[in-house]
Structures are given as structure tokens and as C-alpha cells.
Amino acid sequence: MACPGCFRAAKKRGQAPLPEGPAGASHNGASPLFLDDTFCGRCRKHLFDGKKVPRVLPFSRPAYNAAKLAVTPGRMSISGIQTKISLVLKDSQLEMVDSGGRYILKPIPLGTFQRLNVLPINEHLTMQIARQVFDIEVAENALVAFTEGEPAYLVRRFDVQADGTKRLQEDFAQVGKRSEETHGKTYKYDFSYEGIGDLIRQHVAACAVDLERYFTLVVFNYLVNNGDAHVKNFSLIRSEDTEEYRFAPAYDLLNTRLHLPTETRTALDLFKDDFTTESYKANAFYAYDDFAVFAQKLDLVERRYKRILQSFVDSKDAVFSLIDRSILPDDCKQLYKEHVQDSVKALSYSYAGSR
């Protein structure tokens, strides 16, 4: 038994596991979800302000589907991917609302991608790897379940305050004034990570600190094979006290290659203006030299970016350990590890011999 927020072993024993499917198979093909029915103290504090909230939601997946259809009748489609709905916490229970909740619930999506039955587990695991292994600030999150046992991913919104008011948050499509109308249907992907760095310099007062945080997140996405880390999946958020912007906590982190095997490790080019390193010209994949040059273009201190890059190589065993502790099926665990291993190998390689 483990906490459904952070995987840490429970202090209390005896809670029932999440219900399994027919003939002993786990629901939707995932591995048996032997998670505690309640969260550990740390997760209760950060997710629910200390309230004791059960892991099992007070509604079913069909009830979710009906509520979602009522909220977005004109935009629902059978091929939709990663639908979500807003939740509020009321009397220690999470309830669905049309809008304005402090939580977002993302169930198993419909679609034709592979292994979609484990997508909520994948996202939760990847967010936990970011926080627990690499100390990346992420939105608070957990794995919960509908009444019939199907897993769903829960995330607490960092832009909604206790009184319901919203802090100003802008993703980098908004910051860069990019939209489908102005830049075409692929506007989220027709940009570069270096370009996002330029926008951080322009809009963040303490940009040196946040550029390092941003660099770490870009390398992390490469490590876990998140090929959907586009411009809308990075944000700035404004402080209510100082009214200054800072780099927002990470969100929407997952290994996309579990679901789309041909996915690239990065959603955007590292560099703007079609720049490529000698390493990339020779090998056609990003490696140590590319990220070192990227760090230099972000004006990071050499000894600091080298230490960050080394940490991604040195932490492979810690990443593997967390993958093993997760509730991914064994075949998905193995694939996830192989993807990470490939990235570690690339991050260990220097064409220029500078590592």
C-alpha cells in the first residue's frame, strides 16, 4: 500500500485495493492499483489544505461523461483526447462543477493512440519524477479513482486561490502573442525553446533564476520523452504581492512515446533561426553539446549548467526506482526505462569531447 499522491509507503495498513476487473485482471488493463484509500500527511497538506479526502471519487465515470457533455455539448467528439473537468472541494469531497474549481480531473481519454488506459498513471508518475528526483516545482497532483475503480489524474490549480479568485497566468503562446489566427494551426509547435528563453528575459525581473529553472525543465522533458512540451505547456504567473511575473510550476508532464512511439523527444527545436550545432549536424539528435550551447544562449553559469546536465545522467537509478514503485504495467515500466536510458545515453555523449 502506498500514498496515491507520492507513492510513499503508508503508515496504516489494511485499506482495500482499488477494485479489479473480470477474472482478476485489473481495470482497463493497468496493473492492480494497490493504493491507500487516503493520502499521506504531506499530500493532504499540499493538495487539500490538510483535509482528509478519500482517493475514491464520489461519482462514476458515466457520471463524469454526462457532466462533461453538459458542460461542452458543442465540442465533445468521440476522438477527443484528454478531456478534463473542474472540481471543487466541499465537505472533504471532490465535486464536479462547470467552471472555477481549484482542481482539474483528467480521466482515461478516448482515441487511437497506444496504451491510453495508462495515460493518467503516466502523467502522475512523470510529475512525481520531476518533483521527487529533480526538485522541479510542479502543480500538486495525485492519482484518484472513479467509484467503479477506473484511475484518473487529479491536479490542483496553482492559479486559483482559496477565495476562488484567479492569479494572472499566461502561457508562452499568450506571452508571445501566438495563436492559430496569427501563426497557423501548428502555432504551438512552430517556435523554439531558445525563443521562450528570450520571452522569459523580457517579462521576468529575476530572470537569471527562472532561466535556470526553465533550462532544467526543458532537459527533464527530453529525459522523459515528452514530445508535447509546446509553447502552451510553459507559463508565467504573476505574484499578488509584488505584481511581478515568475516562471510557473510545471504541468502536463508525461512520456508521450508510451502512447505515440514515433514521437520525438522534444516538441520544439532547441534553437531559433535554424541554428544547429556541429554535434546535431553529425548525429541528427540532441546530445550534451546541444544542451550546453542552449544553456549558454540562456546565459547560464557554466559550472551550474554542467552540474544540472550531470544530475540527469547520475539520477537514472533514482528515476528507475520511482518507475518501479509506480502502478504502470510491467511492459510500460520497461518501455519507460528504455526511453529514459536512450536519453541518458544522448546526454552523456559529447561530439566535441567537452563533457
Side-chain angles (χ1 to χ4, degrees):
M1 293 273 183
C3 171
C6 63
F7 300 137
R8 290 188 171 88
K11 293 182 179 179
K12 295 182 180 180
R13 302 291 178 182
Q15 290 97 335
L18 195 154
E20 296 184 356
S26 56
H27 194 87
N28 285 304
S31 58
L33 305 187
F34 291 105
L35 295 175
D36 278 331
D37 285 336
T38 56
F39 296 87
C40 71
R42 186 263 172 208
C43 289
R44 283 201 306 270
K45 177 182 177 181
H46 292 277
L47 270 168
F48 308 117
D49 299 323
K51 296 181 176 66
K52 193 171 184 178
V53 177
R55 170 182 56 81
V56 179
L57 300 165
F59 51 87
S60 66
R61 177 62 191 265
Y64 166 90
N65 292 342
K68 183 63 182 173
L69 186 62
V71 172
T72 56
R75 292 187 283 126
M76 287 289 285
S77 68
I78 194 66
S79 61
I81 193 74
Q82 270 206 304
T83 64
K84 61 185 77 171
I85 204 165
S86 188
L87 303 180
V88 294
L89 184 59
K90 186 176 180 180
D91 298 327
S92 296
Q93 292 278 3
L94 290 164
E95 297 182 359
M96 294 181 285
V97 292
D98 291 350
S99 61
R102 296 189 74 187
Y103 302 88
I104 294 172
L105 183 72
K106 298 162 72 172
I108 293 172
L110 300 172
T112 57
F113 293 152
Q114 297 181 18
R115 307 179 190 88
L116 288 180
N117 59 301
V118 301
L119 196 148
I121 301 170
N122 177 1
E123 185 165 2
H124 174 243
L125 167 62
T126 307
M127 293 283 281
Q128 291 302 312
I129 293 172
R131 183 176 66 81
Q132 294 189 39
V133 179
F134 298 104
D135 200 28
I136 294 171
E137 184 184 12
V138 301
E140 295 296 334
N141 62 92
L143 198 63
V144 294
F146 291 105
T147 54
E148 68 273 27
E150 180 182 320
Y153 174 71
L154 177 74
V155 62
R156 176 167 168 160
R157 296 182 57 167
F158 50 77
D159 63 327
V160 178
Q161 303 183 96
D163 60 1
T165 57
K166 290 185 65 176
R167 298 170 61 189
L168 185 58
Q169 176 190 349
E170 294 188 64
D171 63 52
F172 279 95
Q174 296 169 304
V175 175
K177 295 179 172 56
R178 304 180 66 83
S179 67
E180 185 173 332
E181 292 72 23
T182 60
H183 291 81
K185 290 185 177 181
T186 58
Y187 75 97
K188 293 188 294 185
Y189 302 94
D190 293 339
F191 204 54
S192 69
Y193 292 118
E194 183 184 354
I196 292 178
D198 291 342
L199 292 173
I200 292 173
R201 281 197 193 91
Q202 294 172 28
H203 296 277
V204 177
C207 66
V209 173
D210 277 359
L211 284 168
E212 186 172 295
R213 292 176 59 218
Y214 168 64
F215 174 75
T216 303
L217 183 54
V218 171
V219 182
F220 175 80
N221 279 318
Y222 184 79
L223 177 80
V224 299
N225 290 241
N226 182 7
D228 203 40
H230 51 68
V231 292
K232 291 187 70 65
N233 281 341
F234 299 89
S235 292
L236 297 179
I237 191 163
R238 192 174 71 179
S239 167
E240 292 299 305
D241 297 327
T242 64
E243 296 190 349
E244 291 182 347
Y245 282 97
R246 74 174 186 92
F247 193 59
Y251 55 93
D252 290 357
L253 305 179
L254 72 159
N255 177 344
T256 56
R257 285 184 64 201
L258 283 183
H259 313 291
L260 188 62
T262 59
E263 184 79 279
T264 58
R265 291 194 191 107
T266 61
L268 311 180
D269 291 337
L270 268 186
F271 305 108
K272 62 185 182 181
D273 301 329
D274 297 321
F275 173 84
T276 54
T277 65
E278 293 303 313
S279 175
Y280 192 85
K281 290 175 184 176
N283 298 289
F285 64 84
Y286 292 132
Y288 177 89
D289 295 351
D290 300 279
F291 287 100
V293 173
F294 176 54
Q296 292 161 17
K297 287 181 176 291
L298 296 178
D299 296 324
L300 301 191
V301 177
E302 182 178 5
R303 62 179 174 79
R304 293 186 65 86
Y305 76 69
K306 284 186 173 181
R307 186 168 65 217
I308 291 168
L309 287 172
Q310 188 62 42
S311 73
F312 282 98
V313 175
D314 293 343
S315 298
K316 182 187 73 172
D317 289 345
V319 173
F320 282 9
S321 177
L322 206 54
I323 292 171
D324 284 334
R325 284 164 52 198
S326 79
I327 55 174
L328 279 176
D330 288 343
D331 62 330
C332 292
K333 288 180 181 179
Q334 184 59 36
L335 273 175
Y336 204 134
K337 289 180 182 179
E338 290 174 4
H339 296 160
V340 170
Q341 178 62 55
D342 288 345
S343 298
V344 168
K345 185 177 180 181
L347 291 169
S348 302
Y349 167 74
S350 172
Y351 177 76
S354 58
R355 184 175 177 273

